[in-house]
Amino acid sequence: MSTKEKRFLDALESLFTGADVDGRSGFVNLMRMKRNYFRSIRPQLMAEIDRRVAKHSAFREELFDKLYTFFSRYFCESGSIYFRHLPAFSRTYDRVYADGQDVALSWKTRMLYYVKSDVLVQSMPVTLREEGNPHDPIHVYFDASDVEHKQNNERREFLFAFCRVRKTGKSKVVHLKVTYSRMGTGTKTDDIIRQSRKEGVPLTDEHVHKAIGVFCRQTEADYFINKDARGFLREQFDLWAYQYIFQEETLFGATRIRQLRAVRDTACHIIDFIAQFEDELRRVWEKPKFVRKVNYVVTLDRLTDTVLKKVARHRGAKAQTEEWRALALVDDRFSMRKIFAGQKSLYGTNSAGDDYRFLPLDTQHFKDLELEILDGLGNLDEALDGELVHSENWQALNSLCARYAGKVQCIHVDPPYNTSTSGFLYRNDYQHSSWLTMMENRIDCALDMLSEDGSFLCHVDENEYERLHLLMDDTGLHNAGTVIWDKMMPMMGAKGIATQHEYVLWRTRHRNAFYLRGAHVQSILARARELIEKHGGVTEGTRREFSQWIDGRRDFSGGERAYRFLDDEGRCYRGVAMGAPVLRTDARFHTPVLHPRTGKPCPSPANGWSRTPETIQALMARGEIIFGKDETVQPQRKVILRKSGAVSTVMQNGRRGRTDLANLGLQFPYCHPVSLYEELVGASLLNVNGVVLDCFAGSGTTAHAVINLNREDGGTRKYLLVEMGESFHAVLLPRIKKVVYARDWRDGKPVSREGSSHCLKYYTLEQYEETLSNSRYEDGQHLELDSTRSPFEQYVFFGDDKLAHAVKPGRRRGKPGSRLDINLHRLYPDIDLAESLSHILGKPVRRRTADSVTFEDGRTEKTDPAKMTEAEKRRVVSLLKPYLWWGE
């Protein structure tokens, strides 16, 4: 094999990982599939090349050189396919124009899916087999026990050092210790080779680099997936062919034309070959994901008397009580008997005591009682106040799209800010490009859920503000504006300019949708109505109590607290001076305003009035001028607090999100104040019954804000939150349970029992890694179903089970029969078939029973295979097909 041929084949094999990786994980399964696919199709590829260069043997070296020159540009270390290594002279044309646009945003990774996954570093064995010597492999074991739990999501380089050689049977295994590099130290490959050879292992430099490459790839696996690898590479090859191959050619003879055609045809075969696997990864990524581990949280006030008594006697009551104590909802003296208003007997009462009405019961402790609990709620979808999804957010959005298409009135997200402290990791040098790809993937998916009167709000700082602005311009949404959040505290430790603000980009479906209701406006108006009703009208007591309430609301801005007055009509108002900002030269603006009671002229502003006499008379007729007790007081404009109005571009809120969580007894590194979210989310909804989506949920501040808003004005807004991190169970879910039980907290304990009646559903989704782990791909020869197409073009995974082994033909008296055996537990032990059907059909669940689910439209589907007829089984399998099998 020539040098250039070996260089190209090594590069191609490296892309598909030409090393054996042992173990059980989605990554290992992925690498095994790639390796077997490469080995099964490589002979056909080489035969095709040999056929094309048979009469031009001198051209063989040039062919491999040109193939390597082209393909090496688009392969990155993690196996992803995109613009990776482009020399300055390539003059590659990247389309940045679009019809109707004078500026379009383009970036290196736009054609990719950004696969947001945890960095998983774990010890692993690697087996290297050389071609021509498959029976004498090299075994290397990477001991990563010291770095398996990476602190603070930091990005650091690995350092590999020789540890020992251990004999296993007839084989010798080289153990390498994995640590983090310190002060820029690097791996001493020569030392590893020298000490390995002393122990009788003929390790080479190529062995070490290939083994290390395999290990490193597990931490970076599936960072990107190309949405259309075949289209991308073929387009790039056509451009490269014109720009690179032909740039110095002047004459083309018949032989040269055949040679260049051989380059193109061979490249197309390789592209088809590469695209087969990349397309399969894309299908796995895009497939809907099974719903798993479904639980509900229901406050006790929603339970029937019968269920409440069963709960108190249930074996899960102990675990539930321990959870309430851990959340500081009850003390050590609490027992289940106390929920019955202090009754000595569990009988003779029909409600929980006031202190315990809003205790959040989690059905994970009462699974055998769960259906009875849910049945008492009536229409289950209508009863839900919120939904929490523990999942990577693109997977969740993709799975929820059919269920919530066009039904979300507010999408409110706070993504990672692309800073060194955000936890957003990079495995390449394209930080802005990676961030934009991550955001575009998720924004595109989320916007399918946005209603016609909906708003999209996205927090960002100066690092990506301009790029996000351009990205949002491509969505077709109306640019309502950008809100600047003044945190009222400069960045600590900053040098030069100390940033004390962030941005909220606001986009809407409808041009008028940004004339919205402010979040606190609703609570102010509601409080005014409440006090007027309490006092039987607008009395001095009404006004005094209203002003005191306004003054006590420290979460209100100064502008909101200014609306502390009530007029005789019960309207909330503030006074604003009516003097002109500059001297008026027109005598009309100096016309005296007469006091309505004394008839005498009031003092005029030194610069004159800001309004004409006609405008002032119109304001007086509407009762919107404030006069003093006599003519000695200068009149002011009465500004009425109304339900609608423009949102200011500047919001000042100096509260700290950490303080909100600290009061709840929880911790989270970065979070915004809940009062800010109340203002933003409340303003973005045209009604008080909309759905709010947050797919970067973090600590759950959006849900907290929605609960507070509903508590203040009696609204029925619902939240839909997605979070993939450990904070889901450690912070987000506990936070909601605490806030539901009591509004006000201090030092981790409730200050009062002012709670809210509540019901939420939370669950986990199957993840990309889990799909790869459970998919079955045969190691044998791939099927060739179409004789008119080359093996490079056909869908070679057609004969593989993928996840379809969850459905098997049954057996009759020991023989295969026509009956279907549906057992989803072969995949995961906790699949929820009812919710999975709800997602795939896009229908909310109205009612659940032990063996069926009824959807919002009245349609009922069986969920217990043991109670299904064969026709019903086949129907359910047809519905589940997108979950189980994908491909052409």
Side-chain angles (χ1 to χ4, degrees):
M1 184 183 296
S2 66
T3 301
K4 292 182 178 180
E5 178 179 351
K6 186 178 187 302
R7 182 180 64 167
F8 169 69
L9 291 177
D10 284 347
L12 192 60
E13 185 173 6
S14 178
L15 171 66
F16 280 78
T17 310
D20 292 335
V21 184
D22 297 327
R24 294 177 58 85
S25 72
F27 167 76
V28 171
N29 201 21
L30 167 65
M31 293 299 104
R32 186 179 295 117
M33 283 186 269
K34 280 190 172 185
R35 184 186 69 250
N36 292 332
Y37 180 40
F38 178 84
R39 290 177 177 174
S40 69
I41 206 167
R42 174 175 166 169
Q44 298 177 67
L45 174 65
M46 297 308 298
E48 183 71 18
I49 293 175
D50 290 339
R51 183 180 67 82
R52 291 188 173 277
V53 299
K55 297 181 179 180
H56 311 281
S57 56
F59 177 66
R60 186 183 182 95
E61 285 289 276
E62 183 183 353
L63 180 141
F64 283 112
D65 184 54
K66 282 183 164 52
L67 291 175
Y68 177 81
T69 301
F70 170 72
F71 284 104
S72 62
R73 297 177 173 196
Y74 302 99
F75 298 158
C76 74
E77 288 83 350
S78 62
S80 300
I81 302 167
Y82 65 105
F83 296 109
R84 181 56 173 161
H85 304 289
L86 296 180
F89 60 80
S90 66
R91 300 195 301 274
T92 300
Y93 175 68
D94 187 20
R95 294 173 298 179
V96 295
Y97 306 107
D99 293 340
Q101 288 183 286
D102 59 348
V103 177
L105 180 63
S106 186
W107 63 94
K108 269 194 170 183
T109 57
R110 190 169 192 173
M111 76 297 299
L112 307 176
Y113 281 124
Y114 171 81
V115 181
K116 185 175 176 59
S117 58
D118 290 334
V119 176
L120 301 176
V121 183
Q122 57 187 2
S123 301
M124 64 177 294
V126 173
T127 301
L128 306 174
R129 287 188 173 88
E130 295 181 333
E131 188 171 355
N133 187 21
H135 303 297
D136 191 15
I138 299 293
H139 301 281
V140 181
Y141 182 81
F142 290 89
D143 180 3
S145 55
D146 291 343
V147 294
E148 286 183 349
H149 302 289
K150 205 172 188 180
Q151 298 297 316
N152 301 320
N153 288 327
E154 58 197 335
R155 181 188 179 184
R156 295 169 60 183
E157 299 300 323
F158 291 124
L159 181 68
F160 303 91
F162 179 86
C163 182
R164 63 191 174 98
V165 172
R166 180 174 58 87
K167 191 170 183 180
T168 304
K170 296 181 179 180
S171 303
K172 290 185 177 181
V173 181
V174 178
H175 281 237
L176 299 182
K177 188 69 175 178
V178 186
T179 58
Y180 285 128
S181 174
R182 295 179 180 273
M183 306 296 292
T185 56
T187 298
K188 297 180 180 179
T189 306
D190 293 341
D191 183 63
I192 294 174
I193 294 172
R194 184 179 65 257
Q195 295 195 55
S196 297
R197 288 183 173 179
K198 283 184 179 179
E199 299 292 334
V201 180
L203 212 60
T204 66
D205 186 75
E206 183 179 358
H207 290 147
V208 174
H209 282 94
K210 180 174 280 189
I212 289 176
V214 172
F215 175 82
C216 290
R217 199 164 300 169
Q218 77 164 343
T219 69
E220 304 170 2
D222 312 323
Y223 191 75
F224 291 118
I225 298 175
N226 200 301
K227 297 177 183 178
D228 181 12
R230 179 179 285 102
F232 169 72
L233 286 175
R234 286 204 171 193
E235 178 186 62
Q236 292 304 307
F237 183 83
D238 288 342
L239 295 172
W240 176 82
Y242 285 111
Q243 296 173 1
Y244 187 81
I245 297 180
F246 298 151
Q247 62 181 343
E248 296 181 0
E249 297 282 353
T250 55
L251 297 175
F252 296 93
T255 298
R256 187 57 173 166
I257 290 175
R258 285 194 296 271
Q259 290 174 347
L260 296 178
R261 183 179 294 277
V263 174
R264 186 185 189 283
D265 291 346
T266 304
C268 287
H269 281 320
I270 296 171
I271 288 171
D272 290 338
F273 158 58
I274 293 170
Q276 281 283 350
F277 198 87
E278 191 75 3
D279 287 350
E280 187 70 0
L281 293 182
R282 174 183 55 80
R283 292 184 180 99
V284 175
W285 176 253
E286 292 177 340
K287 96 168 187 74
K289 300 302 187 288
F290 277 110
V291 180
R292 303 175 56 193
K293 305 177 184 177
V294 178
N295 293 299
Y296 295 82
V297 175
V298 185
T299 50
L300 297 187
D301 68 303
R302 296 201 180 189
L303 303 184
T304 65
D305 181 44
T306 301
V307 170
L308 192 60
K309 292 172 182 176
K310 290 182 179 180
V311 165
R313 295 191 298 264
H314 196 277
R315 61 181 179 276
K318 181 179 179 181
Q320 180 65 86
T321 300
E322 290 174 353
E323 178 191 296
W324 288 339
R325 286 180 181 140
L327 294 173
L329 307 185
V330 299
D331 58 26
D332 292 340
R333 295 172 295 176
F334 173 84
S335 69
M336 276 292 181
R337 290 179 178 272
K338 288 191 174 184
I339 67 176
F340 293 92
Q343 300 276 347
K344 293 182 179 180
S345 171
L346 297 182
Y347 304 94
T349 181
N350 58 8
S351 64
D354 289 341
D355 285 349
Y356 308 113
R357 295 180 64 236
F358 302 122
L359 280 173
L361 178 140
D362 194 324
T363 62
Q364 68 169 321
H365 306 302
F366 307 92
K367 296 309 288 184
D368 58 343
L369 196 57
E370 184 176 68
L371 290 175
E372 189 172 353
I373 292 172
L374 300 182
D375 197 50
L377 300 175
N379 187 316
L380 188 53
D381 182 66
E382 293 180 359
L384 288 176
D385 297 292
E387 191 169 336
L388 306 179
V389 187
H390 190 203
S391 169
E392 191 279 333
N393 50 15
W394 193 92
Q395 298 293 327
L397 293 171
N398 186 50
S399 294
L400 289 164
C401 188
R403 166 72 179 80
Y404 282 97
K407 296 180 180 179
V408 173
Q409 283 73 40
C410 172
I411 299 174
H412 175 253
V413 296
D414 177 28
Y417 279 3
N418 200 358
T419 63
S420 59
T421 59
S422 69
F424 188 74
L425 303 176
Y426 302 98
R427 289 309 177 202
N428 53 50
D429 298 324
Y430 313 124
Q431 295 194 8
H432 297 303
S433 185
S434 299
W435 190 86
L436 280 170
T437 298
M438 183 273 292
M439 289 300 297
E440 183 204 37
N441 294 164
R442 284 142 187 83
I443 290 172
D444 284 352
C445 206
L447 289 183
D448 290 337
M449 305 185 194
L450 193 63
S451 64
E452 289 302 314
D453 60 350
S455 291
F456 181 95
L457 286 74
C458 184
H459 294 252
V460 71
D461 68 0
E462 69 278 2
N463 288 289
E464 294 293 352
Y465 171 74
E466 297 90 348
R467 296 174 187 84
L468 182 62
H469 201 294
L470 288 172
L471 179 62
M472 294 305 301
D473 287 344
D474 285 344
T475 63
L477 296 178
H478 172 59
N479 181 8
T482 297
V483 172
I484 298 173
W485 171 40
D486 180 4
K487 295 182 283 189
M488 303 175 69
M489 181 179 292
M491 183 183 299
M492 296 183 64
K495 296 180 180 179
I497 298 176
T499 303
Q500 72 172 43
H501 71 280
E502 294 179 9
Y503 304 97
V504 182
L505 274 70
W506 201 312
R507 298 292 189 272
T508 61
R509 286 274 191 215
H510 193 279
R511 284 187 172 273
N512 294 327
F514 61 93
Y515 291 105
L516 302 170
R517 184 167 13 200
H520 292 144
V521 171
Q522 301 168 55
S523 60
I524 294 173
L525 296 175
R527 183 61 175 167
R529 291 193 300 270
E530 180 182 313
L531 291 175
I532 291 171
E533 183 178 348
K534 172 184 175 182
H535 291 274
V538 182
T539 65
E540 287 304 313
T542 306
R543 291 189 171 98
R544 182 173 57 254
E545 191 171 347
F546 179 72
S547 295
Q548 290 173 348
W549 179 80
I550 287 284
D551 292 341
R553 288 300 299 267
R554 298 304 175 190
D555 55 330
F556 285 178
S557 66
E560 291 164 340
R561 283 199 296 270
Y563 288 96
R564 59 193 308 275
F565 306 103
L566 291 175
D567 65 11
D568 292 339
E569 298 178 32
R571 298 180 298 183
C572 310
Y573 70 89
R574 63 183 295 184
V576 177
M578 291 196 297
V582 295
L583 180 65
R584 295 284 197 179
T585 57
D586 190 332
R588 291 191 309 151
F589 290 95
H590 295 270
T591 302
V593 174
L594 303 180
H595 194 280
R597 188 164 56 84
T598 67
K600 296 180 181 181
C602 298
S604 298
N607 289 337
W609 301 101
S610 60
R611 305 288 193 275
T612 65
E614 294 79 12
T615 299
I616 292 176
Q617 289 300 315
L619 291 172
M620 289 177 62
R622 297 200 301 267
E624 295 182 14
I625 297 292
I626 304 170
F627 290 95
K629 61 181 179 179
D630 57 33
E631 71 279 359
T632 62
V633 179
Q634 188 178 98
Q636 289 186 314
R637 165 79 187 276
K638 180 191 288 187
V639 179
I640 308 296
L641 182 62
R642 304 186 187 279
K643 291 185 177 181
S644 63
V647 175
S648 173
T649 58
V650 179
M651 290 185 179
Q652 289 186 318
N653 191 314
R655 289 180 62 89
R656 294 291 172 262
R658 287 190 183 184
T659 302
D660 293 332
L661 282 176
N663 284 334
L664 290 166
L666 300 170
Q667 293 182 348
F668 194 77
Y670 300 100
C671 53
H672 288 148
V674 66
S675 55
L676 174 68
Y677 279 28
E678 288 176 29
E679 194 165 357
L680 291 168
V681 172
S684 67
L685 295 171
L686 296 177
N687 298 296
V688 296
N689 58 353
V691 177
V692 181
L693 166 66
D694 184 351
C695 56
F696 292 91
S699 68
T701 308
T702 296
H704 190 162
V706 169
I707 292 169
N708 280 356
L709 289 170
N710 288 338
R711 182 183 278 125
E712 289 180 356
D713 59 24
T716 56
R717 305 169 187 84
K718 297 187 178 185
Y719 55 84
L720 172 59
L721 267 58
V722 181
E723 173 57 38
M724 71 173 292
E726 294 179 357
S727 61
F728 183 92
H729 291 288
V731 180
L732 193 161
L733 187 57
R735 179 180 193 171
I736 295 177
K737 290 178 178 179
K738 284 172 172 276
V739 172
V740 164
Y741 179 64
R743 171 174 183 155
D744 300 313
W745 289 71
R746 186 178 298 114
D747 298 328
K749 296 185 178 182
V751 176
S752 67
R753 304 292 191 221
E754 185 184 349
S756 298
S757 181
H758 206 77
C759 177
L760 71 91
K761 172 174 61 181
Y762 70 95
Y763 54 88
T764 298
L765 289 181
E766 172 194 19
Q767 295 299 290
Y768 179 56
E769 161 78 11
E770 293 172 327
T771 305
L772 289 173
S773 295
N774 286 289
S775 294
R776 290 187 179 178
Y777 287 86
E778 297 297 330
D779 292 343
Q781 185 69 32
H782 296 287
L783 294 178
E784 293 185 24
L785 303 175
D786 187 350
S787 60
T788 65
R789 301 169 68 191
S790 77
F792 309 103
E793 299 173 294
Q794 296 187 51
Y795 180 60
V796 296
F797 301 108
F798 182 84
D800 294 305
D801 281 349
K802 302 175 179 68
L803 298 181
H805 53 278
V807 180
K808 293 182 177 181
R811 303 182 69 86
R812 292 182 178 179
R813 295 181 181 179
K815 297 181 180 180
S818 60
R819 292 181 178 179
L820 282 177
D821 175 20
I822 303 175
N823 186 355
L824 299 179
H825 289 176
R826 295 191 185 106
L827 303 176
Y828 313 102
D830 46 21
I831 287 178
D832 191 296
L833 183 54
E835 289 293 339
S836 296
L837 289 173
S838 171
H839 281 208
I840 204 70
L841 294 173
K843 298 178 183 293
V845 174
R846 178 194 294 177
R847 184 171 184 268
R848 298 184 57 155
T849 68
D851 57 7
S852 69
V853 56
T854 301
F855 298 109
E856 188 180 45
D857 59 1
R859 172 177 174 176
T860 298
E861 295 288 348
K862 294 288 186 64
T863 56
D864 185 354
K867 298 181 180 180
M868 295 180 189
T869 65
E870 291 305 308
E872 289 170 339
K873 288 181 181 179
R874 287 192 291 272
R875 172 176 174 73
V876 168
V877 170
S878 68
L879 294 176
L880 293 177
K881 183 180 177 182
Y883 288 114
L884 299 170
W885 202 92
W886 46 91
E888 298 174 4

